Amino acid sequence: TVISPDHNLNLNEVGIPFEVARILTVAEKANSINLGRLKKLILEEGYPGANYIIRPDGKRKRITIDLMEDLAEELDIGYIVERHLIDGDIVLFNRHPSLHRASLMAHYVKVLPCRTFRIHPAVCNPFNADFDGDEMNIHAPQTEEARAEAEVLLNVNSNLFSPKNNMNLMGCVKDAISGNFMLNESELSKEDASQLLYETGTGLVSLNKINAGVDVFSKLIPNEIKDSKEDYKGFKSGKGNVLKAADRVLGRDSAIELLRKVYALGTIFLSRTGFTLSTRDLDVPESVKERTKKIVESAELKTQKIIESYYDGSLELLPGKNSEETRELNILKVLNETRTEIGDVVKKGFPVDNLANKMISSGAGGSMLNITQIACSVGQQVLNGRRIDFGYTGRTLPFFKKGDL
């Protein structure tokens, strides 16, 4: 089914809808310890229940309301019961296309309401998943051997680092980066800081009456790996140096739990503070627009001179190019420089306290080029190393003059 994010889960958990948990089953062999529990599951009409029993001779019997009491009576040591998925079962989670080892990993089940699979957003990177309608598949291992392999070899915790280049496949992304970046710039009262740390699952810590965001963040970091450089950047996907240190010193499970706490800290702080963008936030001051206009006019003049020199034959040819190719390359050079110049002007004139700027500065997403294109100038579009060619007879678009370069 479709996937959606839930940062309240552990990194190696997957939220499964009740509808799926009733259909997917786990084959559990009856023994003297679990016999009573399995009989209760057979007698259960709703969830959690069981769908089939398999006799030692291999005969399968479907559990129906009419037969459930007889089958519960018949159940004995050596029988196999196909019961519903419950919290704590291990399943394989896969997203197509499976391009590398970490496209299929083992997660522990958390049965939740609603109709989508829920995963922690920090685990999206190895699956190359996002939440714009992606669908993923779940497989329930049916034998003890398969479950043991899933737990040891395929567990999310075992795949924290890429076998290709030793970079961390999982880490803080999007909201967690923006949230921790804004937390680092903030000051919190003792009450707010306590509440924030409590919600991430951190125990009692000593706090001042007013706390810098950086100090609140450092309360999550264990003393063994504390140094002057630890901040949210050490937990980003791909370049998590603090995460690597945690894995080396504290062990894999502690490193994964630390990542979960840091991620939670960012997202909880962001949801408490608020983070919104309107069209007005993506605008730039009039002074920037004026300078942009002058840069564009200057570029148009330069382009016009190139075109005139092409027509009067004074254009200096580039080595190995004819006059037409030289003209196009020179025009492209001028127009590409224009976008860079406009970008520099926008960067200087864009307010530092703007939330879009915080998103870009933190590295959570977006770039100054996006702001430039939204607010000032889209810039020259290049297709196959050339400007957009004539699409209509003698002109690019129907409202251009014929032959206008």
Side-chain angles (χ1 to χ4, degrees), residues 37-323:
R37 179 168 60 82
L38 292 178
K39 283 189 175 184
K40 277 184 192 167
L41 289 175
I42 291 170
L43 294 168
E44 181 61 59
E45 283 182 36
Y47 172 86
N51 292 351
Y52 287 92
I53 69 165
I54 301 167
R55 294 198 327 206
D57 63 5
K59 189 161 190 273
R60 258 164 93 87
K61 293 187 174 181
R62 180 156 178 76
I63 299 165
T64 60
I65 294 171
D66 306 333
L67 294 174
M68 57 173 53
E69 287 189 14
D70 296 342
L71 294 175
E73 194 68 40
E74 184 189 336
L75 188 71
D76 205 352
I77 292 167
Y79 277 66
I80 291 171
V81 177
E82 293 190 348
R83 60 162 178 82
H84 295 162
L85 279 185
I86 55 169
D87 287 4
D89 282 333
I90 197 156
V91 291
L92 303 184
F93 201 35
N94 171 232
R95 180 184 176 276
H96 289 295
S98 307
L99 301 176
H100 65 151
R101 192 176 80 186
S103 292
L104 184 140
M105 294 192 285
H107 293 244
Y108 290 95
V109 170
K110 188 89 177 161
V111 181
L112 297 170
C114 303
R115 302 177 74 95
T116 59
F117 290 144
R118 252 66 49 87
I119 64 168
H120 194 288
V123 187
C124 286
N125 184 39
F127 290 118
N128 193 23
D130 45 40
F131 304 107
D132 56 9
D134 289 30
E135 291 184 354
M136 287 181 70
N137 308 312
I138 271 183
H139 310 273
Q142 294 299 302
T143 64
E144 283 300 331
E145 292 89 343
R147 285 193 279 274
E149 282 188 6
E151 217 161 304
V152 176
L153 301 174
L154 297 172
N155 192 344
V156 169
N157 292 14
S158 307
N159 288 282
L160 177 58
F161 297 107
S162 165
K164 180 177 74 175
N165 52 20
N166 203 36
M167 290 173 90
N168 53 306
L169 288 168
M170 291 155 242
C172 288
V173 291
K174 313 287 179 194
D175 284 3
I177 295 173
S178 300
N180 282 314
F181 176 80
M182 288 166 70
L183 173 65
N184 278 11
E185 294 182 335
S186 310
E187 283 191 338
L188 284 85
S189 67
K190 186 176 183 178
E191 295 76 15
D192 286 343
S194 299
Q195 181 64 32
L196 191 60
L197 290 167
Y198 173 77
E199 285 187 43
T200 65
T202 307
L204 289 170
V205 290
S206 59
L207 293 161
N208 303 323
K209 203 165 186 183
I210 297 292
N211 301 273
V214 183
D215 297 335
V216 175
F217 182 89
S218 71
K219 299 289 180 194
L220 293 182
I221 313 295
N223 290 328
E224 299 95 310
I225 57 165
K226 271 193 178 165
D227 66 13
S228 55
K229 293 180 194 144
E230 88 267 335
D231 67 354
Y232 71 95
K233 288 178 187 162
F235 291 90
K236 285 168 81 168
S237 283
K239 37 190 177 278
N241 51 346
V242 182
L243 201 55
K244 283 181 182 145
D247 182 62
R248 194 170 55 249
V249 177
L250 307 170
R252 180 60 53 87
D253 290 348
S254 301
I256 291 275
E257 176 58 14
L258 180 60
L259 173 58
R260 185 200 65 75
K261 285 181 179 176
V262 170
Y263 200 103
L265 187 74
T267 48
I268 293 164
F269 179 78
L270 199 68
S271 60
R272 283 168 162 269
T273 315
F275 188 96
T276 54
L277 286 177
S278 71
T279 324
R280 193 169 61 245
D281 292 313
L282 301 172
D283 206 357
V284 291
E286 276 304 316
S287 58
V288 172
K289 288 183 183 173
E290 283 299 317
R291 289 183 66 188
T292 300
K293 200 175 173 189
K294 283 176 186 165
I295 291 168
V296 171
E297 283 169 2
S298 156
E300 283 174 352
L301 274 174
K302 285 181 191 170
T303 307
Q304 196 54 47
K305 280 179 185 168
I306 293 168
I307 292 168
E308 282 168 12
S309 67
Y310 165 72
Y311 280 128
D312 64 24
S314 62
L315 185 64
E316 193 179 320
L317 298 187
L318 292 169
K321 305 285 179 190
N322 61 29
S323 57

Side-chain angles (χ1 to χ4, degrees), residues 15-29:
I16 291 187
F18 284 105
E19 290 84 352
V20 175
R22 286 193 191 100
I23 295 165
L24 277 184
T25 55
V26 171
E28 195 170 333
K29 199 164 193 170

